[in-house]
Amino acid sequence: MQTELSRKLGIEHAVFGFTPFPAVAAAISRAGGFGVLGAVRYTAPADLKRDLDWLDAHAGGRPYGLDVVMPAKKVEGVTEADVEAMIPEEHRRFVRDTLAAHGVPELAEGEASGWRITGWMEQVARTQLDVAFDYPIGLLANALGSPPADVVARAHDRDVLVAALAGSARHARKHREAGIDIVVAQGYEAGGHTGEIATMVLTPEIVEAVDPLPVLAAGGIGSGPQVAAALTLGAQGVWLGSLWLTTTEADLHSPALTRKLLAAGSGDTVRSRALTGKPARQLRTEWTDAWDDPAGPGTLPMPLQGLLVAEAVSRIQKYEVEPLLGTPVGQIVGRMTAERSVQAVFDDLTRGFEKAVDRINRIAGRSGQS
């Protein structure tokens, strides 16, 4: 699964794997792909440094990258406390009532929420970069549009390529104008924040819009034939995230959540604003249903919604309250039916890719030329 981009980066397969788990990122790189560690959950620089130390030591000398979330435009003088103060009491009461209706216990006294949306705030993302640029990262990806111009310049000064996710050709053109090196065409099927255009339509649109910049296809990809289809559409590789959630190296800290993922079908996800305030594809649960119910107060805009539900999400996860328990995941969840190692996933991808190429060659009358 080689392309011009994979050869440029020195990786065996044009598979870029986004994950919040250092062990998964390291395993992706060792398997010949490009592991990309998600930084959004690291609010303390020391924690990110610890995990980058581990990743650097376990990637087998292979390249890896970092994914941050930061807006292109800076908002001056706004603190987390300022944002918290904007949350209406009606919404706080709705959270309390929903948790109480499902018997979700409180956190222990003095126990802090394990999940915060502060990683979406620019000042936090900048501290993450201060740490990351001390490591030999090969790629900096941003999930919230193009990074600020000074960040792009800072990366380029260190020979670090910059990638940005796009849900439309219009967004992709803005990335090109901002000096981005790689555009990730993230289709409607993808887990997490997505637009409304499917990968099959979006990928060739973005390839044409930003030519000659390389494009990675994302969303609904989890098999070798789908990788082959992405390259056929003009992509230089694929960006996979959801597929790694049920690998043996992943650390979800929740057997109940793993069971739900393994049991879910491709129709068991929903694009909901319940987690962050922006549409994000995730498992459909009674939690997402409550927020999407017209009888409720409705979700708040980002980052208010994320701050509002942070403690609630931590409680739901800690006590594994299954009716409410979910996670961002794409429609590819229907293929995630067994726990496998990252290497086993790669073996399946490469075998399926080879078979798909052979099949196309046979159809085209070029048997044996794969």
Side-chain angles (χ1 to χ4, degrees):
M1 298 187 288
Q2 280 272 309
T3 66
E4 182 181 349
L5 179 61
S6 67
R7 287 188 286 270
K8 177 179 179 179
L9 290 170
I11 58 177
E12 186 178 353
H13 306 298
V15 174
F16 295 72
F18 164 80
T19 174
F21 307 116
V24 176
I28 290 169
S29 292
R30 290 197 307 272
F34 198 105
V36 181
L37 179 65
V40 71
R41 67 191 179 97
Y42 294 99
T43 57
D47 292 341
L48 178 58
K49 184 180 186 307
R50 176 201 65 216
D51 282 0
L52 283 175
D53 282 340
W54 192 95
L55 173 55
D56 194 60
H58 291 81
R62 305 293 185 88
Y64 61 88
L66 192 76
D67 179 279
V68 297
V69 180
M70 60 191 314
K73 296 181 180 178
K74 186 173 184 176
V75 179
E76 298 281 359
V78 178
T79 67
E80 183 179 341
D82 295 331
V83 178
E84 287 266 16
M86 300 176 189
I87 298 174
E89 178 56 31
E90 175 191 13
H91 287 75
R92 295 187 186 277
R93 184 169 56 250
F94 182 76
V95 170
R96 291 194 298 268
D97 291 348
T98 303
L99 296 179
H102 289 83
V104 182
E106 299 275 357
L107 295 176
E109 186 175 352
E111 182 178 358
S113 167
W115 180 87
R116 297 293 285 172
I117 203 67
T118 48
W120 294 86
M121 303 180 75
E122 184 185 352
Q123 61 266 34
V124 176
R126 285 185 177 274
T127 64
Q128 295 165 349
L129 294 178
D130 290 339
V131 173
F133 283 137
D134 286 335
Y135 292 82
I137 61 172
L139 178 72
L140 174 66
N142 189 43
L144 198 63
S146 303
D150 68 295
V151 171
V152 176
R154 191 177 174 190
H156 287 166
D157 285 345
R158 290 163 172 78
D159 294 324
V160 176
L161 296 180
V162 180
L165 276 64
S168 70
R170 178 174 60 86
H171 292 155
R173 291 188 191 98
K174 289 184 177 179
H175 293 336
R176 181 186 60 192
E177 293 164 4
I180 300 304
D181 304 294
I182 301 169
V183 177
V184 181
Q186 187 177 35
Y188 172 85
E189 306 95 324
H193 296 121
T194 68
E196 298 185 358
I197 305 174
T199 304
M200 179 66 76
V201 175
L202 181 67
T203 301
E205 284 187 355
I206 288 183
V207 167
E208 182 178 347
V210 301
D211 184 63
L213 287 185
V215 172
L216 303 177
I221 300 171
S223 71
Q226 289 169 319
V227 176
L231 302 191
T232 302
L233 294 172
Q236 287 267 333
V238 294
W239 177 274
L240 310 182
S242 298
L243 195 62
W244 317 111
L245 289 173
T246 53
T247 57
T248 53
E249 292 90 347
D251 190 8
L252 288 177
H253 298 294
S254 174
L257 181 55
T258 298
R259 287 195 302 271
K260 290 188 75 170
L261 287 169
L262 295 175
S266 56
D268 292 328
T269 69
V270 63
R271 284 174 78 244
S272 172
R273 298 177 184 267
L275 188 61
T276 67
K278 287 175 68 70
R281 185 170 298 284
Q282 55 202 280
L283 281 181
R284 182 177 179 179
T285 66
E286 292 186 26
W287 178 255
T288 61
D289 286 349
W291 282 105
D292 295 339
D293 188 337
T299 56
L300 296 170
M302 180 187 283
L304 299 181
Q305 181 71 15
L307 287 169
L308 168 66
V309 304
E311 181 181 318
V313 170
S314 290
R315 289 166 59 186
I316 292 166
Q317 291 175 345
K318 176 178 180 178
Y319 299 110
E320 296 191 297
V321 183
E322 293 205 31
L324 304 179
L325 187 62
T327 186
V329 69
Q331 292 180 331
I332 199 64
V333 70
R335 289 188 61 90
M336 297 156 50
T337 56
E339 291 186 79
R340 299 180 293 166
S341 69
V342 168
Q343 184 61 61
V345 172
F346 266 87
D347 291 343
D348 181 61
L349 290 173
T350 53
R351 283 194 299 266
F353 179 83
E354 291 168 358
K355 290 179 180 179
V357 173
D358 286 343
R359 184 163 56 245
I360 293 297
N361 281 331
R362 287 197 303 272
I363 292 171
R366 296 192 299 270
S367 181
Q369 298 182 29
S370 61

